[in-house]
Structure formats: structure tokens, C-alpha cells
Amino acid sequence: MNRPAAPWLRLGWRNLGRNSRRTVLTAGGLALGYCSVVVMTGLGRGMVAEMIGNGTGVLSGQLQVHSRDYLPERSVHETIGGRDGADVEGLVEAVAADPAVIAAAPRVYGGGLVSGGDQTVAAGLIGIDPKREANVSLIMRTGEAGRHPSGEANELWIGQEMARQLSVEPGDELVVVAPAADGSLGNDLFTVVGVFRSGLAEIDGTIAFLPYQSLQRLIALSSDRVHEIAARIEDAWEAPAAQSRLVASLSVSFGGAKVEDWTAFQPEMVQYARLFESFEWVLLVIVFVLAVFGVANTMLMATFERRREFAVLRALGATPGVVLKSVLWESVVLGAASLALGAAVTLPLLVWWHEAPPDVSWLYGDFTMAGGLVRPVLRVEYPFGMMVFAAFALFVTAIGAALLPAVRAGRVRPADALQD
Amino acid sequence: MKQVTMEPSETAATAVSGAPAVRTDDVWKVFEHDGIVVEAVRGVSLAIEPRDFVVLAGPSGSGKTTLLNMIGGLTRATRGQIWIDGRDITDLPERELARWRLERVGFVFQAYNLLPVLTALENAEFTMLLRGIPEDERRKRVESLFAEIGIAGLEDRRPSKLSGGQQQRVAVARAVVGRPALVLADEPTANLDSQTSSELIDLMARLNQEHGTTFVFATHDTELMRRAQRFIRLVDGQVVEDERRR
């Protein structure tokens, strides 16, 4: 004979089995609530992760090092390096040496006009080291045609939209005019060697990449001066810790450099992440408040049908508190069964959607959020904290919903109920 | 037959020395519903001695069950006082009354009222569970009692798998296994055929004689009336006949 340790749990379990259809429906409702909260949270976090991953990974990087006064004006004169400045190569190596940093690369920034035939567009000019940049920026993987610029040649890698506006393709030549650091107006002829498509309209239409040495020449910067060192970190949320480490380590040898992580230079993404986080709690409350009414209704019916049994318990010497407790134990068992069912459905779904997220781009194309490109795939992140909290909320719901029925069961008048 | 081992603290002998098992003094029960007042019990005063085997008889609506419920503390008297084992239970707080019922009173109902989700053994041991008696002790006592009352082997059956007579024996076991001073039985044989009914009466009479448990029945059963040591007839809520047979 099966004799579980806790008689009240056993009693609760058996009572739930008396109307198995009703129990399955109730537990199913709670399980569905658990599943929806956890999966929706996972989807939201997946979307935020995608947004942050792309928003920081496409171009900006998760860490940036600048001259202390470079931001926010982005003056062409505020550089790292130069005659009295830091050793740029040494600084790149120091940044790359942080355990969280995957790669680091130097950049030079400029702005100007790019002309081809009768067409001219304003362009942000980003001078890169193509080989090192390929390990830092995801945008380097978005080539649509041609190739990356190479060496120190006057080669341009432009966005698809800019190419469309200028009616050019790889092999065509463009004239680039840009204000230089010495007050002159730099201009030169560049060859388009490739076209990229990031999916972000503001990048594809306004940015042109070129070897940083060629941009230094164009805007009259000496070859030992750059504006930025960008670094890639696999988990964007580790960037603040890496930033702290680098601030401490670089202050000794590179005192003029300022290290910032993406939460400082892309604060809108942090705000979006916080917004999603608050939405998770709203969802949790809505789902389980609705569940309370469903469970309470079921428990009220179940306890009303058993008034006579509660009267017998009272007649046998059970206090109202004992009767109340017996109903609450039943709700604990219901909660446990619901959680088991919910977990059995939720966990495989989470693993599936994490490992092989369904692509719904057929429904709608890529979209941007807080400056980050978001792919329409239902990828979930594992919301471990929410899984635990939702389980707790499920139990609170089951027990909370049973409180009123339990109190009413405890108040049954034995003599009256036994004569019904 | 096996004899149930009784612990001194749980036998009927713990009743207050010299006090009646039950004493009622001018007990009234008045129900009022939608302005209609019904006097179910009207000024009943009686004393039932320990080890008694008493029948409350009378037509339907005479107040038998109501009086039984008041004696058992399931409902409170509108007026008057009730002592059980010398203790005044009239105004006991609900928790104390429940505790007192648990330790001192056993109930047997007409409809058996076994909990359907529990086995026969679990039903019988339920009051001991409430009293916090260890599981091994509970099982030992129930199995011994089941053997004594002829339902050994039925321990693991649910009530739905038992006959009416077997269910009522389990109900009797549940009532007496905790060694109460008093067992109150409301129409215990009403749902049983005559042979089963007779066997059940034999069983309760034997428990009364061997264990000294006081039994008070509310019944229409002529066989049970015939076997009673004391016969009390109620009509319209009042005692109209009180006869001690031996």
C-alpha cells in the first residue's frame, strides 16, 4: 500500500482525483499561465538580446575608448595618439587583453560629401582596419557585392542605399570631399570596392567605410592618431564590468583615454531593456490575477460539493482550522501538479525556441528597435529568474484562490450539513 | 477474537469518577427560520450513566437527532446545560469543543459518512491522525480492531468497494478506536438489511460490554430498541418515557 509521508498531501491528491476532468482543466489553466509568462518573458528577453546584440554589435561595439573630450562633439581634433598622446597600437592591445574582450580595432571618423556623376550625398566616413574590424563589427559580414576595402588604398565600402542614390556599383569611382583637421578641405578619388546591407536604413544610406590610413590622409591626421578604439564583447551585459576593469588598468599607462561601455553611449537600449523588464511583471500579474478567479471558482465548486464531508470532519473532532488546512493542502497539491504540467510543456518549448528559433520573417521583414536591428525570429533567452518567480506566483495563486473556499469549508456547521 | 489493547489515558475509565456520562439540564433547542419558530427539543433533563447502552426513540421530528447533536457538541443548546463526563460543554469555545469531541466522543451516522477518498484503514485511523498518534500505533490499533469486528483484510479497500454492513463496521471502528467515553449513533442500522443490522447491534453491544464504552442511539429500529439497556422515548421534543430494562 502506498503511504506517502504527509497524510494531508495524500488526502489532497486523492480529492483532486475525484473529478479528474475539472482538475486537469484547472491545472491546465495554471500551467498555461505559467507557460505563457515564462515563454513571453523568454521571447521578450530574446528580442532585447537581439536588439542589444545587433545595436551594439553591428557597428558601435560594446566598448569604446576615446580621447577624454571626444564625446559628445566628436571634434576631429580630439584623438588618441599623436606626438604627445598614447601609443595607439599599445592601447589596442591593452583593450584586447581584457578577458571579456574578443577583439579591438582602431577607427578614424570624418564627415563629408560623396559624389558620383550628378549625384552627391552627405556621408559619415569611418576609417577602419578591415582585418581587425571584421572581428569587432557585425556589419563587416553584411557585404552584398564586391569586397571589403584593403590595405591603405583609396577604397570605399558603401551602403546599399547610398549606392542606389549615387547609382554606383563595385568598380565605379567616387569623389570624397571632407573638412580636414588642418582647416583645409580634403578631397580625393576613391573606388567603390563593395556594397553592404546592414538592414539599418540610417547606416546603409549614410555611412561609407574606408581604410583608416586613407581617411587620415584625406582629413590631414597624422598616421598615429585615431578617434576611437572599439571592442567586441560576446555578452553585452558583461561590458560594464569590463569597462570598470579597463578604466582601472588603462589609467596607469593611458591616462588620457576614456573607456565607456554601450550602456553609456547607447542608453536608449538600456531603457528599452528596463521597459521590457517592467512588462514582464505586468504580464505576470495579469496572467495570475486572471488565474486566481478560475481556480477560486473551481475550488468553490469542489468544496461546496463536499460540505457533508467537511461536516463529518468537524463532527470527528477536526477544528475549523484543520478543515481549512486540508483544503489549502489540496491547493498546494494542485499547484504542484500545475507546475509539473507547466514545466513539462514550457521547458521543451524554451529549449526548442532557444536552439532552433522559428523564423517568421515571411510574416514581416527585419525591423529596428532603439537603433538595433531585430530579426523576426522567435528566439527565447532562458529566463531562469522568472521561471522560479512564476513558479512561486503559481503557488501563491493556487493557495490564494483556495483561501475563500477553505475558510468557507472550515465554517461548515456540522449538524446542518449532515442533515442536508 | 482479538482484544484491543487499551491505553489507560484513553479508556472510558477516565471519566470523572461518579459523574454521569451524559447529563442534560432543561435543555431546549429552538430553530427560527423565516419567522417560523420550531421548538425541536423542549426542556429535556436526563442523566446517562457510564457503560450505558441507551436508545432515544420516537417519531420523526421528535427531536432525537437534535438532542444527540447537542450532546455531541455538533450544535449548541438554545437554553439549558449539558455535561459530558462531568464537564460542562454548553459554552465551550469552538476549538475546545472540537478537541473535546475528538478525544471523548465517537459518532456513527446513518449514511456511514466514510471519506470516499480514504481506505477503510485510513478512515478508521482518521481521528487518531488528528490527535497526532504516530502512524505505527494507529495502524496497529486499527488492524487489531478490524480483526475483532470481523473486517480484517478490508483495510485497503475504499468505501465504494465495501458493502453497507462493512462500511458501517468501519464507521463503528472509526468511532471507537480512539477509546472515547461516549459513542453517539444516529440511525446506525437504518440503511442495513435485518441480518446485517442484527450483527452490527451485536458488535456494538459487545464493544459496550467489553470496553465499557457508553452508547447512545437515536433510532427507529425495533431490534435496537429491544436490545437497549435503557429506553427513552421523545415526542415533540420532550421525554415522555424513560425505562431502564436491567
Side-chain angles (χ1 to χ4, degrees):
Chain A
M1 183 182 166
N2 182 27
R3 290 176 183 166
W8 296 108
L9 285 174
R10 178 178 56 200
L11 187 62
W13 174 252
R14 291 188 193 165
N15 273 322
L16 288 175
R18 294 166 76 169
N19 192 328
S20 52
R21 180 183 297 180
R22 184 163 62 197
T23 299
V24 166
L25 282 174
T26 309
L30 279 171
L32 185 66
Y34 177 81
C35 183
S36 60
V37 167
V38 171
V39 171
M40 289 297 287
T41 301
L43 276 174
R45 291 186 186 180
M47 200 176 287
V48 168
E50 178 89 1
M51 177 190 78
I52 292 171
N54 283 329
T56 60
V58 167
L59 186 56
S60 70
Q62 287 79 27
L63 272 179
Q64 292 178 355
V65 183
H66 304 110
S67 164
R68 191 159 295 283
D69 298 320
Y70 180 66
L71 295 176
E73 282 80 12
R74 292 183 177 270
S75 163
V76 72
H77 302 287
E78 294 296 338
T79 58
I80 303 168
R83 192 170 51 196
D84 302 320
D87 167 29
V88 171
E89 278 305 316
L91 186 52
V92 171
E93 285 174 17
V95 171
D98 185 272
V101 172
I102 292 172
R107 289 175 183 168
V108 176
Y109 287 94
L113 296 173
V114 179
S115 301
D118 298 335
Q119 304 296 323
T120 299
V121 296
L125 304 171
I126 303 180
I128 58 171
D129 175 341
K131 284 186 179 170
R132 285 193 279 195
E133 192 65 39
N135 294 323
V136 172
S137 303
L138 296 176
I139 199 167
M140 299 303 283
R141 303 173 189 174
T142 63
E144 283 276 295
R147 58 171 176 79
H148 292 154
S150 62
E152 301 179 11
N154 278 7
E155 293 181 344
L156 279 180
W157 194 53
I158 64 174
Q160 190 181 48
E161 176 59 18
M162 185 184 287
R164 189 192 65 78
Q165 289 175 18
L166 295 171
S167 303
V168 294
E169 57 187 30
D172 292 343
E173 290 187 327
L174 293 171
V175 173
V176 180
V177 180
D182 60 2
S184 66
L185 203 58
N187 66 89
D188 210 341
L189 194 62
F190 284 77
T191 302
V192 176
V193 295
V195 174
F196 65 84
R197 179 185 172 277
S198 72
L200 296 163
E202 63 271 31
I203 291 179
D204 292 349
T206 63
I207 298 295
F209 293 92
L210 61 164
Y212 76 93
Q213 297 91 340
S214 63
L215 184 54
Q216 285 168 330
R217 287 195 301 272
L218 183 69
I219 62 174
L221 274 183
S222 63
S223 61
D224 56 356
R225 296 174 70 185
V226 299
H227 291 114
E228 178 177 287
I229 294 168
R232 181 175 164 221
I233 290 174
E234 189 62 44
D235 181 354
W237 292 107
E238 287 183 17
Q243 186 261 353
S244 299
R245 285 194 299 269
L246 285 170
V247 164
S249 63
L250 298 185
S251 63
V252 179
S253 310
F254 305 95
K258 184 178 182 184
V259 186
E260 288 181 308
D261 65 79
W262 66 273
T263 61
F265 54 78
Q266 289 187 302
E268 69 280 5
M269 287 201 182
V270 179
Q271 288 164 358
Y272 259 92
R274 298 281 175 267
L275 186 67
F276 267 96
E277 206 171 287
S278 59
F279 170 73
E280 292 171 4
W281 297 109
V282 171
L283 181 70
L284 180 89
V285 169
I286 290 174
V287 166
F288 284 109
V289 164
L290 288 175
V292 161
F293 291 104
V295 178
N297 184 44
T298 304
M299 293 298 285
L300 273 173
M301 279 195 292
T303 50
F304 184 78
E305 289 167 1
R306 283 161 35 210
R307 284 182 77 240
R308 190 179 182 87
E309 287 173 31
F310 296 130
V312 171
L313 291 181
R314 295 279 288 111
L316 294 177
T319 60
V322 167
V323 175
L324 182 145
K325 192 175 74 172
S326 75
V327 176
L328 290 183
W329 274 117
E330 195 170 318
S331 70
V332 169
V333 176
L334 177 67
S338 306
L339 181 59
L341 182 62
V345 173
T346 306
L347 293 180
L349 198 62
L350 282 181
V351 172
W352 173 37
W353 281 7
H354 182 77
E355 300 297 330
D359 187 342
V360 291
S361 55
W362 54 270
L363 200 57
Y364 50 93
D366 297 349
F367 59 94
T368 58
M369 191 187 294
L373 180 71
V374 177
R375 291 173 301 162
V377 292
L378 301 179
R379 182 169 188 273
V380 302
E381 290 295 314
Y382 294 122
F384 293 112
M386 182 54 83
M387 287 164 77
V388 173
F389 199 87
F392 176 71
L394 184 150
F395 270 100
V396 169
T397 300
I399 295 169
L403 266 179
L404 175 64
V407 168
R408 292 176 73 163
R411 286 182 180 166
V412 163
R413 295 182 175 187
D416 297 343
L418 285 168
Q419 285 177 341
D420 284 348
Chain B
M1 292 280 183
K2 288 168 68 177
Q3 192 70 36
V4 178
T5 306
M6 297 163 70
E7 293 187 5
S9 62
E10 293 171 344
T11 63
T14 56
V16 174
S17 179
V22 178
R23 189 181 138 205
T24 68
D25 184 14
D26 190 26
V27 167
W28 288 70
K29 182 66 181 180
V30 180
F31 294 105
E32 188 173 348
H33 188 66
D34 291 340
I36 300 169
V37 175
V38 177
E39 294 175 337
V41 174
R42 300 192 294 162
V44 170
S45 297
L46 53 84
I48 296 170
E49 298 305 317
R51 308 174 74 89
D52 235 342
F53 200 69
V54 182
V55 159
L56 300 175
S60 295
S62 61
K64 305 184 297 293
T65 296
T66 303
L67 181 58
L68 210 62
N69 285 341
M70 285 192 291
I71 292 171
L74 299 184
T75 188
R76 292 182 187 276
T78 310
R79 204 163 77 215
Q81 281 186 293
I82 300 171
W83 291 265
I84 308 293
D85 282 352
R87 182 170 189 185
D88 185 354
I89 66 159
T90 317
D91 296 316
L92 272 185
E94 194 57 43
R95 281 182 60 87
E96 276 187 56
L97 195 59
R99 186 73 198 173
W100 167 83
R101 265 201 310 270
L102 179 63
E103 292 176 350
R104 308 301 298 164
V105 183
F107 282 93
V108 180
F109 306 97
Q110 174 181 342
Y112 324 133
N113 285 338
L114 299 177
L115 298 177
V117 295
L118 299 183
T119 64
L121 185 145
E122 290 162 347
N123 265 289
E125 71 172 5
F126 196 78
T127 56
M128 291 190 289
L129 172 71
L130 292 176
R131 289 166 68 173
I133 294 172
E135 183 177 4
D136 288 350
E137 176 67 14
R138 298 197 308 260
R139 304 278 151 143
K140 194 171 75 179
R141 281 206 224 173
V142 170
E143 283 166 3
S144 172
L145 185 58
F146 272 28
E148 184 183 352
I149 65 177
I151 51 174
L154 302 182
E155 287 86 351
D156 292 340
R157 289 201 195 171
R158 297 275 181 96
S160 59
K161 302 292 181 190
L162 297 172
S163 69
Q166 289 168 333
Q167 286 189 61
Q168 198 61 304
R169 281 170 183 259
V170 173
V172 170
R174 179 178 66 184
V176 303
V177 75
R179 296 294 164 213
L182 177 66
V183 172
L184 303 172
D186 189 6
E187 303 281 9
T189 58
N191 287 1
L192 305 176
D193 61 64
S194 58
Q195 185 182 340
T196 309
S197 171
S198 182
E199 288 170 2
L200 189 77
I201 294 167
D202 287 342
L203 167 67
M204 291 188 287
R206 186 156 49 79
L207 291 169
N208 166 251
Q209 287 160 15
E210 293 178 357
H211 300 167
T213 308
T214 308
F215 278 83
V216 180
F217 302 93
T219 188
H220 289 101
D221 187 332
T222 51
E223 166 77 359
L224 190 50
M225 291 180 202
R226 191 179 60 75
R227 301 277 296 272
Q229 294 169 359
R230 186 176 173 192
F231 178 82
I232 299 169
R233 180 182 297 279
L234 293 171
V235 175
D236 294 336
Q238 290 182 309
V239 175
V240 296
E241 184 182 351
D242 188 348
E243 176 194 358
R244 179 166 289 281
R245 265 72 179 271
R246 56 193 133 126

